[in-house]
Amino acid sequence: MVNLLTSAQMRALEQAAIESGAASGRDLMERAGRGFVAAVFETWPDLERAPHRAVVVCGPGNNGGDGFVIARLLHDWGWQVAVHSLGTADRLPPDARINYDRWCEIGVVSPLEAAGGIEADLHVDALFGIGLIRPLEGVALDWALCPRSGRVAAVDLPSGLCSDSGRVLGAGAVYADLTVTFHGAKAGHHLAEGPAHCGRLVRAEIGLRVCSVEGAVRLIETPAPEMLNKTGSAHKYSNGHALVLTGGAGRTGAARLAARAALRIGAGVVTLGAPPAALMEVACQITAVMVRRIGTGDDLAEMIEDPRITAVCLGPGLGGRRARELVPAVVGAGRTLAVLLDADALSAFEDGPEALFAMLHPACVLTPHAGEFARLFPDIAENLAAPPLNGPVYSKVDATRAAAKRAGCVVLYKGSDTVIADPQGRCAVSSTHYDNAAPWLATAGSGDVLAGFITGLMARGFDPMQAAEMGTWLHAACARSYGPGLIAEDLPEELPKVLRALVD
């Protein structure tokens, strides 16, 4: 399990190591510096051959202390190193001051004002790290925004970025080519603007104990292959029956994508419920997916009396009027079905989201994109959109947790930093950044396929949180596997290849 830590959680882990005697603050600083230099050489092997020139910019806290260690190590490697500091030495924390003094035995420290515009092979940003709570200003902001030659590597986090939210505090933050973080990734490395400012993200160990962290956000990892396998004795209905509702004629494409995705991910049976005017259109376009006439809420209520139906998907191409009639028929049914609500099934209740929340139950999953989220949770979205002036900033994690608690079910807030939360506060992030980038998902219909993946997994018996996490990971994996030229129809067809790779 990979946890995305907040700044407070990371500081608590460091403090626990110091108090237990496992390491001193100075030990952690030395390990961080060595890990940083090793990551720089691994990323850019040409820099390992000295001499090169580095500019190391150090801040007034422990991040600056890491910078003094890095400067000393690069100097020992044969580099020419210029060190610039913000603030005076007498205000440094004790461990940072020790490393300042060690550097002064071999070099000088110049004021930050003199660092702008200096040409170097490597610029080291050790100005501010995970503890920053105020915007950069004055000479710090000038340095962060000034153009520079050579590569830029940030210590733990690019200066100016909020560690918990990935938001830029105030007027700007450093754009790094490489960010080396210690022990584990922070939430801000994967949320909001964080990935754009971090460049490449590398994790360096500093000897902290790996342990569970209360309230930590999980980074979604590769699902275990056995979770997706079917047993040899299974028959189609033992793998679940997913029902996907479609809109009227000319609007059935989105639901057909979702239905195909549910079938591909392993639901034993998938039925498309279509209004009378769309039956012929749907029947001409599908083969393995079944079709059923569902024109009214009464038709739907009768359909879901079948105990073999285990999950229902409403929203893709459904239409607002049809959604307002069909959603209550499902979520208010006599038995609790796994239900996914997307697209029109969410927007149909924008004028009174409380009425929707009153109907929902823990077996539901909502999958809004940013616009739909703002319509359902306007006050939460307003908090998220507020200018990030002081940290820790309200984050997408905070917003999704609040939304899930209000709705009483799992909420999946879509994006390249997809966040999934349940009413109990469990939270996970699916990050399509760095080595997991999947820019090809920005295509019409990809969200409908995601809805189908999650519905199919719930039909098979996975709980809503598990299905949302697994479906999101597989969705991005299919896009990475297919690559450029992807359209939504390709995602379900790429899934078998992705699943085989998991098994192999």
Side-chain angles (χ1 to χ4, degrees):
M1 177 188 298
V2 176
N3 289 331
L4 297 178
L5 301 172
T6 64
S7 56
Q9 290 166 342
M10 183 62 189
R11 285 194 294 268
L13 289 174
E14 292 173 332
Q15 190 60 34
I18 293 169
E19 291 176 354
S20 70
S24 66
R26 186 175 169 185
D27 291 334
L28 296 177
M29 209 168 277
E30 187 73 19
R31 294 169 189 171
R34 293 185 181 278
F36 180 91
V37 172
V40 166
F41 289 162
E42 181 179 354
T43 302
W44 298 306
D46 60 298
L47 295 183
E48 196 169 0
R49 298 185 298 274
H52 290 285
R53 178 171 173 80
V55 173
V56 181
V57 173
C58 300
N62 285 328
N63 199 249
D66 295 339
F68 295 122
V69 174
I70 292 163
R72 172 169 48 82
L73 294 174
L74 290 175
H75 177 273
D76 291 347
W77 200 262
W79 283 48
Q80 296 178 347
V81 182
V83 176
H84 298 262
S85 180
L86 178 66
T88 57
D90 59 299
R91 301 187 66 179
L92 288 168
D95 294 317
R97 177 59 190 264
I98 290 172
N99 283 303
Y100 173 93
D101 291 338
R102 290 190 68 186
W103 167 255
C104 288
E105 293 173 3
I106 56 176
V108 299
V109 177
S110 302
L112 180 60
E113 290 87 339
I118 297 178
E119 292 191 1
D121 302 293
L122 179 68
H123 298 266
V124 177
D125 171 21
L127 195 56
F128 294 101
I130 64 172
L132 184 67
I133 60 173
R134 293 186 299 274
L136 300 182
E137 55 186 19
V139 293
L141 180 61
D142 292 341
W143 180 83
L145 298 181
C146 77
R148 54 182 60 87
S149 63
R151 296 136 173 169
V152 179
V155 178
D156 218 2
L157 193 77
S159 294
L161 205 64
C162 172
S163 177
D164 292 1
S165 68
R167 306 278 306 278
V168 174
L169 295 171
V174 169
Y175 278 99
D177 302 298
L178 170 69
T179 298
V180 183
T181 191
F182 308 116
H183 180 66
K186 315 307 181 287
H189 291 133
H190 288 277
L191 297 175
E193 300 102 325
H197 283 265
C198 288
R200 181 184 179 194
L201 181 66
V202 174
R203 183 176 63 87
E205 287 292 349
I206 55 174
L208 296 180
R209 186 167 64 92
V210 177
C211 59
S212 61
V213 178
E214 184 177 354
V217 177
R218 290 176 295 106
L219 185 65
I220 298 173
E221 299 179 279
T222 308
E226 60 270 17
M227 296 181 69
L228 294 163
N229 288 340
K230 295 184 177 183
T231 63
S233 60
H235 58 81
K236 62 184 179 182
Y237 284 110
S238 67
N239 285 303
H241 184 174
L243 173 63
V244 180
L245 282 303
T246 183
R251 295 177 55 90
T252 66
R256 286 188 279 111
L257 281 171
R260 182 74 173 181
L263 194 64
R264 275 291 187 198
I265 211 161
V269 182
V270 178
T271 297
L272 264 169
L279 283 171
M280 187 63 69
E281 177 182 320
V282 170
C284 290
Q285 299 283 347
I286 60 174
T287 304
V289 174
M290 299 193 297
V291 63
R292 174 77 176 262
R293 179 189 182 279
I294 297 180
T296 66
D298 290 339
D299 295 337
L300 179 55
E302 180 182 349
M303 175 71 178
I304 60 177
E305 288 178 359
D306 184 345
R308 295 174 299 182
I309 294 176
T310 49
V312 182
C313 172
L314 300 100
L318 193 60
R321 180 179 299 178
R322 187 162 161 80
R324 284 188 292 272
E325 180 177 5
L326 297 188
V327 169
V330 173
V331 295
R335 65 189 184 98
T336 302
L337 274 168
V339 179
L340 183 138
L341 302 181
D342 184 38
D344 292 338
L346 303 176
S347 297
F349 294 90
E350 62 181 328
D351 293 333
E354 296 80 10
L356 174 63
F357 302 152
M359 293 185 281
L360 299 177
H361 51 74
C364 296
V365 177
L366 311 184
T367 57
H369 56 54
E372 292 157 352
F373 187 94
R375 290 190 283 272
L376 286 180
F377 308 99
D379 55 327
I380 298 175
E382 185 177 352
N383 288 338
L384 186 59
L389 300 177
N390 294 289
V393 175
Y394 193 79
S395 73
K396 192 172 181 179
V397 165
D398 298 322
T400 309
R401 278 176 162 159
K405 185 175 181 180
R406 181 179 298 178
C409 67
V410 169
V411 173
L412 184 154
Y413 189 170
K414 289 188 277 197
S416 58
D417 57 348
T418 292
V419 181
I420 306 166
D422 72 4
Q424 288 71 47
R426 289 189 301 164
C427 190
V429 172
S430 174
S431 171
T432 52
H433 299 111
Y434 310 115
D435 292 339
N436 291 320
W440 310 283
L441 283 175
T443 185
S446 66
D448 305 317
V449 174
L450 175 62
F453 279 172
I454 298 171
T455 302
L457 289 168
M458 290 197 296
R460 292 182 56 184
F462 291 97
D463 71 60
M465 187 76 179
Q466 199 175 39
E469 292 180 21
M470 196 181 310
T472 302
W473 188 92
L474 289 169
H475 186 243
C478 289
R480 287 191 296 272
S481 176
Y482 193 95
L486 173 82
I487 59 174
E489 288 95 320
D490 300 322
L491 289 165
E493 309 316 307
E494 192 71 10
L495 184 61
K497 178 179 175 181
V498 170
L499 296 179
R500 282 195 299 272
L502 288 176
V503 175
D504 295 341

mmCIF file of all heavy atoms in Angstrom, residues 239 242-244 256-270 289 313 448-449 451-457 459-460 492 495:
data_model
loop_
_atom_site.group_PDB
_atom_site.id
_atom_site.type_symbol
_atom_site.label_atom_id
_atom_site.label_comp_id
_atom_site.label_asym_id
_atom_site.label_seq_id
_atom_site.Cartn_x
_atom_site.Cartn_y
_atom_site.Cartn_z
ATOM 1 N N ASN A 239 -21.702 -14.469 -12.149
ATOM 2 C CA ASN A 239 -20.817 -13.322 -12.343
ATOM 3 C C ASN A 239 -21.589 -12.017 -12.445
ATOM 4 O O ASN A 239 -21.023 -10.986 -12.827
ATOM 5 C CB ASN A 239 -19.967 -13.524 -13.597
ATOM 6 C CG ASN A 239 -18.862 -14.528 -13.365
ATOM 7 O OD1 ASN A 239 -18.042 -14.356 -12.473
ATOM 8 N ND2 ASN A 239 -18.857 -15.600 -14.141
ATOM 9 N N ALA A 242 -25.629 -6.929 -14.996
ATOM 10 C CA ALA A 242 -25.616 -5.467 -14.976
ATOM 11 C C ALA A 242 -26.674 -4.923 -15.918
ATOM 12 O O ALA A 242 -26.799 -5.376 -17.057
ATOM 13 C CB ALA A 242 -24.239 -4.947 -15.390
ATOM 14 N N LEU A 243 -27.411 -3.947 -15.438
ATOM 15 C CA LEU A 243 -28.424 -3.268 -16.241
ATOM 16 C C LEU A 243 -27.971 -1.841 -16.492
ATOM 17 O O LEU A 243 -27.669 -1.103 -15.548
ATOM 18 C CB LEU A 243 -29.768 -3.269 -15.513
ATOM 19 C CG LEU A 243 -30.896 -2.448 -16.140
ATOM 20 C CD1 LEU A 243 -31.271 -2.984 -17.518
ATOM 21 C CD2 LEU A 243 -32.120 -2.433 -15.217
ATOM 22 N N VAL A 244 -27.896 -1.450 -17.769
ATOM 23 C CA VAL A 244 -27.505 -0.096 -18.145
ATOM 24 C C VAL A 244 -28.688 0.555 -18.841
ATOM 25 O O VAL A 244 -29.239 0.003 -19.806
ATOM 26 C CB VAL A 244 -26.274 -0.106 -19.078
ATOM 27 C CG1 VAL A 244 -25.879 1.317 -19.463
ATOM 28 C CG2 VAL A 244 -25.104 -0.830 -18.415
ATOM 29 N N ARG A 256 -24.305 2.441 -24.683
ATOM 30 C CA ARG A 256 -23.739 1.250 -25.335
ATOM 31 C C ARG A 256 -22.266 1.087 -24.981
ATOM 32 O O ARG A 256 -21.784 -0.022 -24.783
ATOM 33 C CB ARG A 256 -23.953 1.329 -26.848
ATOM 34 C CG ARG A 256 -25.390 1.061 -27.262
ATOM 35 C CD ARG A 256 -25.552 0.943 -28.775
ATOM 36 N NE ARG A 256 -25.630 2.240 -29.428
ATOM 37 C CZ ARG A 256 -24.702 2.744 -30.225
ATOM 38 N NH1 ARG A 256 -23.592 2.043 -30.477
ATOM 39 N NH2 ARG A 256 -24.864 3.927 -30.791
ATOM 40 N N LEU A 257 -21.549 2.208 -24.884
ATOM 41 C CA LEU A 257 -20.157 2.133 -24.440
ATOM 42 C C LEU A 257 -20.070 1.573 -23.021
ATOM 43 O O LEU A 257 -19.225 0.719 -22.720
ATOM 44 C CB LEU A 257 -19.521 3.527 -24.470
ATOM 45 C CG LEU A 257 -19.067 4.075 -25.821
ATOM 46 C CD1 LEU A 257 -18.679 5.546 -25.680
ATOM 47 C CD2 LEU A 257 -17.895 3.275 -26.362
ATOM 48 N N ALA A 258 -20.927 2.067 -22.127
ATOM 49 C CA ALA A 258 -20.911 1.594 -20.749
ATOM 50 C C ALA A 258 -21.257 0.112 -20.663
ATOM 51 O O ALA A 258 -20.649 -0.652 -19.907
ATOM 52 C CB ALA A 258 -21.876 2.419 -19.899
ATOM 53 N N ALA A 259 -22.245 -0.310 -21.453
ATOM 54 C CA ALA A 259 -22.658 -1.712 -21.438
ATOM 55 C C ALA A 259 -21.537 -2.625 -21.937
ATOM 56 O O ALA A 259 -21.275 -3.692 -21.356
ATOM 57 C CB ALA A 259 -23.914 -1.895 -22.284
ATOM 58 N N ARG A 260 -20.878 -2.218 -23.013
ATOM 59 C CA ARG A 260 -19.762 -3.011 -23.539
ATOM 60 C C ARG A 260 -18.647 -3.119 -22.503
ATOM 61 O O ARG A 260 -18.038 -4.179 -22.331
ATOM 62 C CB ARG A 260 -19.247 -2.347 -24.808
ATOM 63 C CG ARG A 260 -18.106 -3.085 -25.499
ATOM 64 C CD ARG A 260 -18.589 -4.322 -26.206
ATOM 65 N NE ARG A 260 -17.540 -4.935 -27.008
ATOM 66 C CZ ARG A 260 -17.715 -6.029 -27.737
ATOM 67 N NH1 ARG A 260 -18.916 -6.612 -27.780
ATOM 68 N NH2 ARG A 260 -16.725 -6.546 -28.434
ATOM 69 N N ALA A 261 -18.387 -2.023 -21.808
ATOM 70 C CA ALA A 261 -17.341 -2.022 -20.787
ATOM 71 C C ALA A 261 -17.699 -2.951 -19.626
ATOM 72 O O ALA A 261 -16.846 -3.679 -19.113
ATOM 73 C CB ALA A 261 -17.118 -0.602 -20.279
ATOM 74 N N ALA A 262 -18.956 -2.927 -19.200
ATOM 75 C CA ALA A 262 -19.387 -3.812 -18.109
ATOM 76 C C ALA A 262 -19.237 -5.271 -18.495
ATOM 77 O O ALA A 262 -18.842 -6.121 -17.680
ATOM 78 C CB ALA A 262 -20.831 -3.499 -17.736
ATOM 79 N N LEU A 263 -19.538 -5.577 -19.748
ATOM 80 C CA LEU A 263 -19.407 -6.957 -20.218
ATOM 81 C C LEU A 263 -17.937 -7.363 -20.286
ATOM 82 O O LEU A 263 -17.563 -8.460 -19.849
ATOM 83 C CB LEU A 263 -20.061 -7.081 -21.591
ATOM 84 C CG LEU A 263 -20.333 -8.491 -22.109
ATOM 85 C CD1 LEU A 263 -21.337 -9.226 -21.230
ATOM 86 C CD2 LEU A 263 -20.841 -8.433 -23.554
ATOM 87 N N ARG A 264 -17.088 -6.503 -20.801
ATOM 88 C CA ARG A 264 -15.673 -6.812 -20.934
ATOM 89 C C ARG A 264 -14.990 -7.029 -19.575
ATOM 90 O O ARG A 264 -14.081 -7.837 -19.453
ATOM 91 C CB ARG A 264 -14.957 -5.692 -21.672
ATOM 92 C CG ARG A 264 -14.997 -5.790 -23.178
ATOM 93 C CD ARG A 264 -14.168 -6.945 -23.670
ATOM 94 N NE ARG A 264 -14.069 -6.951 -25.140
ATOM 95 C CZ ARG A 264 -13.713 -8.008 -25.837
ATOM 96 N NH1 ARG A 264 -13.448 -9.142 -25.213
ATOM 97 N NH2 ARG A 264 -13.647 -7.948 -27.146
ATOM 98 N N ILE A 265 -15.432 -6.305 -18.575
ATOM 99 C CA ILE A 265 -14.756 -6.404 -17.289
ATOM 100 C C ILE A 265 -15.230 -7.600 -16.471
ATOM 101 O O ILE A 265 -14.727 -7.855 -15.384
ATOM 102 C CB ILE A 265 -14.892 -5.094 -16.491
ATOM 103 C CG1 ILE A 265 -13.666 -4.886 -15.597
ATOM 104 C CG2 ILE A 265 -16.184 -5.056 -15.670
ATOM 105 C CD1 ILE A 265 -13.474 -3.473 -15.138
ATOM 106 N N GLY A 266 -16.198 -8.349 -17.031
ATOM 107 C CA GLY A 266 -16.511 -9.626 -16.418
ATOM 108 C C GLY A 266 -17.912 -9.837 -15.912
ATOM 109 O O GLY A 266 -18.213 -10.906 -15.360
ATOM 110 N N ALA A 267 -18.808 -8.853 -16.055
ATOM 111 C CA ALA A 267 -20.200 -9.115 -15.691
ATOM 112 C C ALA A 267 -20.719 -10.253 -16.571
ATOM 113 O O ALA A 267 -20.518 -10.248 -17.791
ATOM 114 C CB ALA A 267 -21.050 -7.860 -15.880
ATOM 115 N N GLY A 268 -21.400 -11.230 -15.972
ATOM 116 C CA GLY A 268 -21.835 -12.392 -16.742
ATOM 117 C C GLY A 268 -22.900 -12.071 -17.763
ATOM 118 O O GLY A 268 -22.941 -12.657 -18.853
ATOM 119 N N VAL A 269 -23.774 -11.122 -17.429
ATOM 120 C CA VAL A 269 -24.854 -10.705 -18.318
ATOM 121 C C VAL A 269 -24.969 -9.193 -18.242
ATOM 122 O O VAL A 269 -24.874 -8.613 -17.154
ATOM 123 C CB VAL A 269 -26.207 -11.337 -17.913
ATOM 124 C CG1 VAL A 269 -27.303 -10.925 -18.893
ATOM 125 C CG2 VAL A 269 -26.107 -12.848 -17.822
ATOM 126 N N VAL A 270 -25.175 -8.558 -19.380
ATOM 127 C CA VAL A 270 -25.420 -7.117 -19.410
ATOM 128 C C VAL A 270 -26.639 -6.862 -20.286
ATOM 129 O O VAL A 270 -26.733 -7.372 -21.407
ATOM 130 C CB VAL A 270 -24.215 -6.335 -19.966
ATOM 131 C CG1 VAL A 270 -24.536 -4.842 -20.016
ATOM 132 C CG2 VAL A 270 -22.979 -6.573 -19.109
ATOM 133 N N VAL A 289 -24.532 -8.007 -25.751
ATOM 134 C CA VAL A 289 -25.376 -7.284 -24.797
ATOM 135 C C VAL A 289 -26.837 -7.497 -25.170
ATOM 136 O O VAL A 289 -27.208 -7.435 -26.347
ATOM 137 C CB VAL A 289 -25.025 -5.776 -24.807
ATOM 138 C CG1 VAL A 289 -25.993 -4.993 -23.928
ATOM 139 C CG2 VAL A 289 -23.583 -5.569 -24.345
ATOM 140 N N CYS A 313 -26.584 0.927 -13.922
ATOM 141 C CA CYS A 313 -25.878 2.146 -14.318
ATOM 142 C C CYS A 313 -26.885 3.090 -14.969
ATOM 143 O O CYS A 313 -27.544 2.729 -15.948
ATOM 144 C CB CYS A 313 -24.761 1.811 -15.299
ATOM 145 S SG CYS A 313 -23.941 3.244 -16.039
ATOM 146 N N ASP A 448 -17.914 7.327 -20.015
ATOM 147 C CA ASP A 448 -18.968 6.318 -20.103
ATOM 148 C C ASP A 448 -18.385 4.914 -19.941
ATOM 149 O O ASP A 448 -18.991 4.047 -19.309
ATOM 150 C CB ASP A 448 -19.685 6.429 -21.450
ATOM 151 C CG ASP A 448 -20.227 7.819 -21.697
ATOM 152 O OD1 ASP A 448 -20.788 8.405 -20.761
ATOM 153 O OD2 ASP A 448 -20.074 8.320 -22.824
ATOM 154 N N VAL A 449 -17.195 4.703 -20.492
ATOM 155 C CA VAL A 449 -16.531 3.414 -20.324
ATOM 156 C C VAL A 449 -16.159 3.194 -18.862
ATOM 157 O O VAL A 449 -16.330 2.093 -18.321
ATOM 158 C CB VAL A 449 -15.277 3.331 -21.221
ATOM 159 C CG1 VAL A 449 -14.497 2.052 -20.950
ATOM 160 C CG2 VAL A 449 -15.682 3.405 -22.691
ATOM 161 N N ALA A 451 -17.722 4.346 -16.289
ATOM 162 C CA ALA A 451 -18.971 3.996 -15.606
ATOM 163 C C ALA A 451 -19.307 2.525 -15.811
ATOM 164 O O ALA A 451 -19.740 1.833 -14.877
ATOM 165 C CB ALA A 451 -20.110 4.880 -16.124
ATOM 166 N N GLY A 452 -19.087 2.025 -17.026
ATOM 167 C CA GLY A 452 -19.355 0.619 -17.298
ATOM 168 C C GLY A 452 -18.412 -0.310 -16.569
ATOM 169 O O GLY A 452 -18.823 -1.364 -16.056
ATOM 170 N N PHE A 453 -17.134 0.042 -16.515
ATOM 171 C CA PHE A 453 -16.171 -0.782 -15.779
ATOM 172 C C PHE A 453 -16.592 -0.934 -14.318
ATOM 173 O O PHE A 453 -16.603 -2.030 -13.760
ATOM 174 C CB PHE A 453 -14.780 -0.151 -15.844
ATOM 175 C CG PHE A 453 -14.003 -0.418 -17.106
ATOM 176 C CD1 PHE A 453 -12.800 0.229 -17.342
ATOM 177 C CD2 PHE A 453 -14.458 -1.313 -18.068
ATOM 178 C CE1 PHE A 453 -12.060 -0.015 -18.496
ATOM 179 C CE2 PHE A 453 -13.737 -1.556 -19.238
ATOM 180 C CZ PHE A 453 -12.542 -0.901 -19.441
ATOM 181 N N ILE A 454 -16.917 0.191 -13.685
ATOM 182 C CA ILE A 454 -17.273 0.153 -12.261
ATOM 183 C C ILE A 454 -18.574 -0.614 -12.058
ATOM 184 O O ILE A 454 -18.707 -1.425 -11.134
ATOM 185 C CB ILE A 454 -17.370 1.582 -11.695
ATOM 186 C CG1 ILE A 454 -16.006 2.279 -11.792
ATOM 187 C CG2 ILE A 454 -17.861 1.562 -10.249
ATOM 188 C CD1 ILE A 454 -16.050 3.752 -11.471
ATOM 189 N N THR A 455 -19.551 -0.382 -12.930
ATOM 190 C CA THR A 455 -20.826 -1.099 -12.819
ATOM 191 C C THR A 455 -20.611 -2.600 -12.968
ATOM 192 O O THR A 455 -21.179 -3.407 -12.222
ATOM 193 C CB THR A 455 -21.820 -0.604 -13.884
ATOM 194 O OG1 THR A 455 -22.020 0.804 -13.727
ATOM 195 C CG2 THR A 455 -23.154 -1.317 -13.756
ATOM 196 N N GLY A 456 -19.793 -3.007 -13.941
ATOM 197 C CA GLY A 456 -19.526 -4.424 -14.147
ATOM 198 C C GLY A 456 -18.867 -5.060 -12.939
ATOM 199 O O GLY A 456 -19.194 -6.200 -12.561
ATOM 200 N N LEU A 457 -17.934 -4.339 -12.311
ATOM 201 C CA LEU A 457 -17.283 -4.875 -11.116
ATOM 202 C C LEU A 457 -18.262 -4.981 -9.950
ATOM 203 O O LEU A 457 -18.235 -5.961 -9.191
ATOM 204 C CB LEU A 457 -16.085 -3.992 -10.742
ATOM 205 C CG LEU A 457 -14.894 -4.081 -11.700
ATOM 206 C CD1 LEU A 457 -13.890 -2.965 -11.419
ATOM 207 C CD2 LEU A 457 -14.214 -5.447 -11.584
ATOM 208 N N ALA A 459 -21.446 -5.430 -10.276
ATOM 209 C CA ALA A 459 -22.320 -6.553 -10.619
ATOM 210 C C ALA A 459 -21.691 -7.877 -10.217
ATOM 211 O O ALA A 459 -22.383 -8.816 -9.802
ATOM 212 C CB ALA A 459 -22.614 -6.544 -12.118
ATOM 213 N N ARG A 460 -20.365 -7.954 -10.298
ATOM 214 C CA ARG A 460 -19.659 -9.173 -9.934
ATOM 215 C C ARG A 460 -19.527 -9.353 -8.437
ATOM 216 O O ARG A 460 -19.067 -10.406 -7.978
ATOM 217 C CB ARG A 460 -18.269 -9.173 -10.572
ATOM 218 C CG ARG A 460 -18.292 -9.304 -12.080
ATOM 219 C CD ARG A 460 -16.885 -9.335 -12.646
ATOM 220 N NE ARG A 460 -16.088 -10.411 -12.034
ATOM 221 C CZ ARG A 460 -14.802 -10.610 -12.285
ATOM 222 N NH1 ARG A 460 -14.161 -9.808 -13.124
ATOM 223 N NH2 ARG A 460 -14.151 -11.609 -11.717
ATOM 224 N N PRO A 492 -12.650 -0.731 -23.897
ATOM 225 C CA PRO A 492 -13.068 -2.085 -23.515
ATOM 226 C C PRO A 492 -12.325 -3.170 -24.287
ATOM 227 O O PRO A 492 -12.047 -4.241 -23.743
ATOM 228 C CB PRO A 492 -14.572 -2.101 -23.848
ATOM 229 C CG PRO A 492 -14.981 -0.675 -23.897
ATOM 230 C CD PRO A 492 -13.784 0.061 -24.401
ATOM 231 N N LEU A 495 -8.969 -3.997 -22.785
ATOM 232 C CA LEU A 495 -8.973 -4.572 -21.441
ATOM 233 C C LEU A 495 -8.432 -5.995 -21.358
ATOM 234 O O LEU A 495 -7.655 -6.312 -20.448
ATOM 235 C CB LEU A 495 -10.381 -4.483 -20.843
ATOM 236 C CG LEU A 495 -10.528 -4.970 -19.404
ATOM 237 C CD1 LEU A 495 -9.664 -4.150 -18.460
ATOM 238 C CD2 LEU A 495 -11.992 -4.928 -18.965
#
